């Protein structure tokens, strides 16, 4: 998982994990203990946990381009001639198009049409993406720097440089 959700919450005295237990170190630790009890020498962990979404995308593109062309994050994907294609309209598509363009890559490689790319970038000028705040801010910053989206009230408000998201990040607790 690229998002670490190692946060505990409490409601009416009951400890919980905000519905995201499977993306936390608590889940990894519990499964690692389970494996040890079974006699298996397996430690569960997330190799992606210290990477932001943009850094994961960059690694996928640069190191594994043959896999990246099959990337479909869209939940409304559809088949055309035996290949899955993204809808190009949803938040996930908007985010993927934005990240690929911010990384100077062509979203057509993973199934987006020129029209979907244009519409996705235009939608980013008006609508946010569901990313960690610093990740979203840096994405908008990059898109504005590269003149891929228009500068308007919304984009000026959300775009801020957060270059730390392009580096490995470690948290002592998480």
């Amino acid at each position: 998982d690229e998002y670490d959700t190692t946060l505990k919450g409490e409601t009416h005295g009951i400890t919980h994990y905000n519905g995201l237990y499977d993306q936390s170190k608590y889940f990894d630790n519990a499964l690692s203990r389970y494996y040890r009890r079974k006699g298996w020498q397996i430690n569960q962990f997330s190799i992606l946990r210290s990477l932001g979404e943009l850094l994961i995308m960059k690694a996928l593109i640069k190191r594994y381009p043959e896999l990246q062309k099959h990337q479909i994050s869209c939940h409304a994907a559809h088949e055309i001639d035996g290949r899955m294609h993204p809808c190009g309209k949803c938040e996930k598509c908007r985010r993927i198009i934005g990240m690929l363009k911010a990384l100077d890559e062509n979203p057509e490689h993973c199934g987006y049409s020129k029209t979907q790319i244009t519409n996705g970038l235009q939608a980013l000028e008006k609508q946010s993406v569901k990313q960690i705040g610093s990740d979203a801010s840096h994405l908008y910053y990059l898109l504005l720097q590269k003149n891929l989206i228009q500068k308007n009230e919304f984009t000026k408000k959300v775009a801020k440089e957060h270059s730390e998201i392009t580096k490995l990040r470690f948290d002592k607790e998480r």
Side-chain angles (χ1 to χ4, degrees), residues 5 36 39 50 64 76-77 81 86 88 96 98 110 117 123 129 136 145 162 170:
T5 58
R36 277 193 296 282
S50 59
Y64 309 102
D81 297 327
I96 297 299
C110 59
I117 296 164
V129 292
Q145 291 295 309
H162 286 277
F170 297 95

Side-chain angles (χ1 to χ4, degrees), residues 57-71:
M57 180 69 79
K58 183 178 180 180
L60 181 61
I61 291 165
K62 301 300 182 192
R63 292 186 181 190
Y64 309 102
E66 68 286 353
L67 293 176
Q68 193 276 326
K69 72 179 183 180
H70 298 290
Q71 177 191 8

